[in-house]
Amino acid sequence: MAGGDTAAVRNVTVRYRGTVALNSVSLTLSEGVTGLLGPNGAGKTTLLRTLATALVPDSGDVAVLGRNPGSPGRRQEIRRNLGYLPQSPGFHRHFTAFEFVDYLAILKEITDRRRRHDEVRRVLAAVGLRDERGKRLKALSGGMRQRVALAAALVGDPRVLILDEPTVGLDPEQRLRFRELIADLGVGRTVLLSTHQTEDVAALCRRVVVLDRGEVRYDATPERLSGVAEGRVWFSTERDPRAAAGWRTGRGTYRNIGSPPEGARLAEPSLEDGYLLLLGSVPEQREAA
């Protein structure tokens, strides 16, 4: 890896029963928060599992923290310094929140009981679950269980943090807390955040990568991705039939995406606008409250 890079894949290909999930993908990650966007089936989870050492690629090279996860010893060294929140965490529902995170801390080889329990209390407090640590997982809401899984990923203060759809099940207030936490975590460590929430990427990430059909379609700043839609978003009093997508806003005007007519009142493009136009996947129409 180049100086400053903490994780990298080079020409990585992964196949599932003949279907190519990743097609010769190359990507390097350094300190800060990187957002990962892409439609369902784009290969995002496969890429995250590969970087998290949970999946061995069919071909290509992987390096995390300067180590190749191909050997068991190196793989274990990586996992001690890596936090991974999978898309569907496997919960032992009869565990309490404390017991579940403690169990993951044991797997990370934090053997000193007092130090481990202090660490469990620290990460549960960090995700706002200080008072719920004694409750069983089956009694917690979906959003709280998601925060427990995030706490488990934070055990050991990892240098690399890989998060797959971490805001699933979180209400708006919890998502704001999550943003605050991730913004702080991105200082001095590498965070790769896969999400469908483009507003989280715009708010948190200095870099965004777009995967589509197993290939990298875009790798630059969120501002440049918003710029893909520059001059292609406009307001009108009625839905413009020439628009690729258009919806009625709460103010009664229509917001359109596509090729505007001459003299149209242009709107400030968002990251979501640029993302949809990049992929050519804007829907025919959608309604907004």
Side-chain angles (χ1 to χ4, degrees), residues 135-165:
K135 294 182 179 179
R136 296 192 184 277
L137 294 177
K138 65 180 181 181
L140 297 179
S141 67
M144 284 186 176
R145 286 197 294 270
Q146 191 73 355
R147 283 191 280 162
V148 171
L150 177 58
L154 296 177
V155 165
D157 198 21
R159 290 177 57 194
V160 178
L161 191 59
I162 297 174
L163 308 176
D164 196 354
E165 297 289 349

Side-chain angles (χ1 to χ4, degrees), residues 170-183:
L170 301 187
D171 62 31
E173 180 182 355
Q174 292 167 346
R175 283 181 56 205
L176 286 175
R177 289 183 180 178
F178 162 81
R179 287 182 186 177
E180 292 176 346
L181 177 60
I182 297 305

Side-chain angles (χ1 to χ4, degrees), residues 37-40 196 198 210-213 217 228 232 244-245 247 257 271-286:
L37 294 173
N40 291 331
H196 287 293
T198 54
V210 178
L211 273 184
D212 185 31
R213 300 177 185 179
R217 289 285 306 277
V228 170
R232 302 179 68 185
W247 59 93
I257 303 176
L271 188 145
E272 181 181 46
D273 297 329
Y275 166 68
L276 292 174
L277 286 167
L278 174 75
L279 296 184
S281 59
V282 288
E284 287 301 315
Q285 185 173 2
R286 65 180 176 182

Side-chain angles (χ1 to χ4, degrees), residues 10-269:
R10 186 177 62 182
N11 299 323
V12 162
T13 295
V14 178
R15 298 181 181 88
Y16 294 112
R17 297 181 179 179
T19 300
V20 177
L22 293 178
N23 184 19
S24 193
V25 168
S26 295
L27 184 70
T28 59
L29 299 171
S30 55
E31 289 184 1
V33 184
T34 297
L36 182 63
L37 294 173
N40 291 331
K44 301 188 302 298
T45 293
T46 299
L47 176 61
L48 267 58
R49 293 186 65 211
T50 300
L51 284 166
T53 75
L55 179 67
V56 178
D58 293 290
S59 61
D61 300 314
V62 181
V64 182
L65 298 171
R67 300 171 176 86
N68 184 333
S71 69
R74 293 295 190 184
R75 189 160 56 246
Q76 192 60 30
E77 289 177 12
I78 291 170
R79 289 175 177 175
R80 292 191 193 105
N81 293 283
L82 182 146
Y84 176 40
L85 171 58
Q87 191 173 31
S88 300
F91 290 110
H92 301 271
R93 293 174 61 82
H94 292 285
F95 277 13
T96 64
F98 187 96
E99 290 168 341
F100 178 78
V101 178
D102 187 47
Y103 173 69
L104 271 295
I106 291 171
L107 294 182
K108 276 202 167 182
E109 300 181 337
I110 304 178
T111 55
D112 182 85
R113 188 172 184 270
R114 177 174 293 180
R115 174 174 165 254
R116 189 176 71 247
H117 285 188
D118 285 345
E119 177 66 359
V120 172
R121 283 188 283 267
R122 181 188 73 83
V123 295
L124 285 171
V127 299
L129 292 177
R130 184 193 306 272
D131 296 335
E132 287 79 16
R133 65 192 184 200
K135 294 182 179 179
R136 296 192 184 277
L137 294 177
K138 65 180 181 181
L140 297 179
S141 67
M144 284 186 176
R145 286 197 294 270
Q146 191 73 355
R147 283 191 280 162
V148 171
L150 177 58
L154 296 177
V155 165
D157 198 21
R159 290 177 57 194
V160 178
L161 191 59
I162 297 174
L163 308 176
D164 196 354
E165 297 289 349
T167 58
V168 172
L170 301 187
D171 62 31
E173 180 182 355
Q174 292 167 346
R175 283 181 56 205
L176 286 175
R177 289 183 180 178
F178 162 81
R179 287 182 186 177
E180 292 176 346
L181 177 60
I182 297 305
D184 289 340
L185 290 171
V187 178
R189 61 168 55 77
T190 298
V191 180
L192 181 58
L193 168 66
S194 177
T195 179
H196 287 293
Q197 303 290 341
T198 54
E199 59 267 39
D200 286 341
V201 173
L204 289 169
C205 302
R206 62 178 180 83
R207 174 185 175 196
V208 56
V209 175
V210 178
L211 273 184
D212 185 31
R213 300 177 185 179
E215 298 182 353
V216 175
R217 289 285 306 277
Y218 177 90
D219 183 357
T221 64
E223 291 78 15
R224 283 186 61 184
L225 183 53
S226 299
V228 170
E230 188 70 41
R232 302 179 68 185
V233 186
W234 72 100
F235 291 115
S236 61
T237 56
E238 297 180 352
R239 188 188 186 281
D240 195 321
R242 293 164 293 190
W247 59 93
R248 189 176 187 275
T249 70
R251 296 183 177 181
T253 58
Y254 281 78
R255 194 172 190 273
N256 306 281
I257 303 176
S259 298
E262 186 176 350
R265 183 163 64 96
L266 297 179
E268 184 73 22

